[in-house]
Amino acid sequence: MTSYTSSSLTLRSLLKTAASRLRLGLPARKVSGLTPPAKAFFAAVAAERGLTLLVVPTDADVETMTADARFFFSALEGLSDAEIERRVLPFPSHEVDPYRGLAPHFDIASARARVLHALARGECRLVVASAASLLPRLSAPERLDATSLSLAPGQDISPTDLGDLLVEAGYTRQDPVDEPGEFCVRGGVVDFYPASAPEPIRLEFVGDTIESIRGYDPATQRSTAGLGQAAIAPLQELVGPGDTPERSATVFDYLWSNGKPHVIVSEPEDVAAHGEKLTQQILASHSEAVSKGHRVEPPEALVLAWQDTAGWLDAATVLETLALDEAAHITCQPALQFSGRVADWTTDVKAGRQAGDTIVFVANTPGLADRTIELLADYQIFAAPIEQAEDVRTASVLVGTGHLSRGFRLPEASLQLWVETDVFEEERKTHERRRSATRTFLSDFRDLKVGDLVVHVDHGIGVFVGLKRIDIGAAPQEFMELQYSGDDKLFVPVERLDLVQKYTGATRPSLDKLGGTTWEKAKTRVKKAMRDMAEELLKLYAARKAVPG
């Protein structure tokens, strides 16, 4: 599980002091000057006071902003990783046109349903949504909530009724159950695999009474540990009989169900541009479908027009990095990018300390945190773990662990935050590896034929179907179409061909399933084997080093 921040009272105190000095998180008409990670800080502070909606332009922004907001909210509230993932939630868009005949990816559908379920029950504090995610019409909160259920040993419910509920919640029947979103009923046993669970769950019944609840290994189907309870949560946002789901609500009905939330919009012009672009795309797709003689529902039955969202966002706090008109300006500077020039960074650190700034460095891993402390010592800079209270008053740099996209400075709060990508070269190397991988794939692409096997780094082994042009926005884009198990399809943008390579194994393996666990398990086995081999090599070289001559 991802670790978002060190559980440090010192970091909590530093952030709360900075927020108080700058009046972050308070309702305001417009705030300018904040960098994207600082906007996440602003939203996290607002979420401390109650439910907050942060609207950002794109789904890529949702991913980055959610991770950054989790870092700050976890530090401010002192939450565990499991708790923070329940309190700060991403709300991505479907990423598919409703008139193109494509269903949203399982991970996206379940993530959206998770947010709606949490909102209906008042269980989350910050929702990070893209402009496009706000438009689809949804089933009413009470209808969606009716597909959820808490389960415990001794509870009465028939296996058949439980199976019907799982179907309505979006689960599919499959025996055996070894992938998220699947379930099966076998006499007095019900297996189901929740989307966010580490393993599937098995219920054993005596008659219509739950006798036991256990997790089990999907590979061996053997039970692992007893559980005191389990929960069924919806995996889809639309419920209803057959192919006619009920669409009487919008996401705003969920957000406003427990009182008015604090709404924050980051870069409203960009948000509006993306929302209006999607509206026009859907209208054009509907016209095209009608011209081809297809019987389809009108756009207003499926989505809101972007103009319909204006009333919900009008009173929002607007965050703009640059604003020329009247706004509450907060001086915020992005961290400089040193690209491995550690000596230059240490000079900047010393200047910051002389100016009276508190300096915090956030590493992704404990190993890098330790290495950074040793590295700074080489430049006569005393750095200490931020958790060690006895050293924080004398240390020039406080070092913690967590995941933050970029650092920034808040001069008026005398606070500097640095992250490893600001100082070291990891990100640049990643881009170099990506370009190299793309060149490698393109050199193999000439030999790739329809029906050949390819390997996607995230989704595993699929079949190359061909190149396909899909209308997205104003201009069509080219995608590589891949076929996976169960007739699943994946469309990879040509600019991300670095994620795909031609399969070169001697035997023809079975296809992986999109959203499945088989590929992740295979990667885990390979990583373990590589670690074991590296350990053996280290032992071998150590033994050779110890032998004279």
Side-chain angles (χ1 to χ4, degrees):
M1 182 175 291
T2 303
S3 177
Y4 295 104
T5 181
S6 303
S7 56
S8 165
L9 293 176
T10 301
L11 180 59
R12 180 182 184 184
S13 176
L14 289 172
L15 294 178
K16 283 185 174 291
T17 300
S20 178
R21 287 184 182 178
L22 302 175
R23 299 180 61 80
L24 296 182
L26 296 177
R29 187 68 192 101
K30 181 179 291 188
V31 177
S32 67
L34 298 177
T35 65
K39 292 177 183 178
F41 183 23
F42 186 102
V45 175
E48 281 196 288
R49 298 179 172 89
L51 176 61
T52 301
L53 168 67
L54 173 60
V55 182
V56 295
T58 69
D59 289 325
D61 298 324
V62 169
E63 184 177 354
T64 304
M65 199 69 78
T66 299
D68 287 348
R70 281 175 168 170
F71 172 89
F72 289 114
F73 195 71
S74 175
L76 290 167
E77 294 281 295
L79 300 179
S80 67
D81 292 346
E83 290 172 324
I84 193 63
E85 291 189 355
R86 291 195 297 269
R87 298 292 183 267
V88 179
L89 294 172
F91 193 63
S93 74
H94 288 152
E95 294 186 347
V96 294
D97 189 314
Y99 296 107
R100 298 296 179 187
L102 298 173
H105 189 279
F106 172 79
D107 290 342
I108 292 175
S110 60
R112 288 175 59 87
R114 183 185 182 192
V115 171
L116 299 175
H117 180 248
L119 286 172
R121 298 198 164 199
E123 295 175 349
C124 67
R125 297 284 289 279
L126 175 60
V127 175
V128 184
S130 64
S133 72
L134 303 175
L135 300 185
R137 292 192 177 274
L138 316 169
S139 296
E142 60 271 16
R143 292 292 300 271
L144 195 70
D145 193 50
T147 65
S148 62
L149 183 66
S150 296
L151 303 166
Q155 186 172 337
D156 289 335
I157 182 172
S158 75
T160 301
D161 290 344
L162 186 57
D164 293 340
L165 179 64
L166 286 163
V167 169
E168 192 170 4
Y171 287 78
T172 56
R173 294 184 186 271
Q174 185 70 37
D175 191 6
V177 172
D178 55 10
E179 303 285 351
E182 296 177 347
F183 86 99
C184 73
V185 179
R186 298 187 305 275
V189 176
V190 177
D191 293 345
F192 72 100
Y193 203 152
S196 58
E199 60 184 5
I201 294 170
R202 176 164 294 154
L203 309 176
E204 295 181 345
F205 287 76
V206 175
D208 290 345
T209 301
I210 299 174
E211 182 182 39
S212 66
I213 303 177
R214 304 182 68 84
Y216 69 89
D217 185 338
T220 64
Q221 297 290 304
R222 293 181 178 177
S223 296
T224 53
L227 302 173
Q229 60 181 5
I232 296 173
L235 301 181
Q236 58 189 13
E237 62 199 57
L238 296 173
V239 296
D243 296 326
T244 57
E246 187 263 328
R247 300 176 186 264
S248 65
T250 69
V251 66
F252 301 109
D253 294 307
Y254 287 82
L255 284 161
W256 267 256
S257 61
N258 293 307
K260 186 177 180 180
H262 183 181
V263 181
I264 302 171
V265 179
S266 173
E267 305 301 330
E269 290 186 3
D270 292 342
V271 167
H274 281 87
E276 290 167 357
K277 180 179 178 181
L278 180 61
T279 297
Q280 295 305 314
Q281 176 189 328
I282 291 173
L283 291 174
S285 296
H286 174 259
S287 297
E288 180 183 348
V290 171
S291 68
K292 293 180 179 179
H294 298 160
R295 298 183 62 183
V296 293
E297 294 188 78
E300 59 269 20
L302 302 179
V303 296
L304 292 172
W306 178 251
Q307 293 80 357
D308 296 333
T309 67
W312 300 99
L313 304 181
D314 269 349
T317 295
V318 169
L319 301 183
E320 292 184 327
T321 301
L322 300 173
L324 300 178
D325 54 355
E326 293 184 4
H329 182 77
I330 298 174
T331 303
C332 179
Q333 302 163 349
L336 298 176
Q337 303 298 295
F338 287 97
S339 301
R341 303 190 313 276
V342 177
D344 293 342
W345 176 54
T346 59
T347 300
D348 194 273
V349 167
K350 291 175 181 177
R353 286 296 294 165
Q354 289 178 353
D357 286 354
T358 299
I359 300 175
V360 177
F361 179 86
V362 181
N364 280 348
T365 63
L368 183 61
D370 293 340
R371 185 159 62 89
T372 301
I373 292 173
E374 296 172 356
L375 187 64
L376 288 170
D378 293 338
Y379 290 87
Q380 290 74 53
I381 295 176
F382 175 46
I386 201 168
E387 299 92 345
Q388 294 185 6
E390 65 273 13
D391 290 331
V392 296
R393 293 184 181 275
T394 56
S396 295
V397 179
L398 303 175
V399 180
T401 56
H403 291 276
L404 186 61
S405 61
R406 288 293 185 193
F408 56 89
R409 307 181 188 198
L410 296 170
E412 295 172 7
S414 300
L415 178 65
Q416 296 186 22
L417 287 176
W418 296 86
V419 300
E420 61 180 75
T421 51
D422 300 329
V423 180
F424 302 111
E425 298 182 285
E426 296 301 322
E427 187 170 67
R428 185 175 65 82
K429 291 179 179 178
T430 298
H431 290 313
E432 289 176 352
R433 287 194 295 267
R434 178 180 295 177
R435 288 195 295 267
S436 177
T438 302
R439 288 194 294 268
T440 300
F441 180 83
L442 289 175
S443 67
D444 293 338
F445 188 76
R446 292 169 297 179
D447 301 324
L448 194 65
K449 302 183 295 296
V450 173
D452 284 350
L453 295 181
V454 296
V455 182
H456 189 286
V457 66
D458 294 323
H459 302 290
I461 298 173
V463 176
F464 174 61
V465 176
L467 294 177
K468 185 172 183 177
R469 294 179 68 82
I470 300 177
D471 290 333
I472 296 182
Q477 296 183 23
E478 197 161 34
F479 292 78
M480 171 184 284
E481 182 177 349
L482 306 181
Q483 183 86 35
Y484 282 82
S485 175
D487 294 329
D488 290 341
K489 291 183 178 180
L490 179 68
F491 294 91
V492 182
V494 292
E495 63 267 22
R496 295 311 312 272
L497 294 183
D498 58 290
L499 299 176
V500 183
Q501 66 182 37
K502 186 176 180 181
Y503 178 78
T504 56
T507 60
R508 189 176 181 88
S510 58
L511 301 182
D512 288 303
K513 182 176 181 180
L514 287 182
T517 59
T518 53
W519 178 242
E520 289 299 325
K521 291 175 182 175
K523 290 198 294 184
T524 300
R525 287 195 300 270
V526 171
K527 289 178 182 178
K528 183 179 184 303
M530 293 177 68
R531 285 196 301 267
D532 292 344
M533 182 176 68
E535 185 177 352
E536 290 299 322
L537 286 172
L538 286 173
K539 291 179 180 177
L540 175 62
Y541 287 124
R544 288 179 176 176
K545 188 80 172 178
V547 176

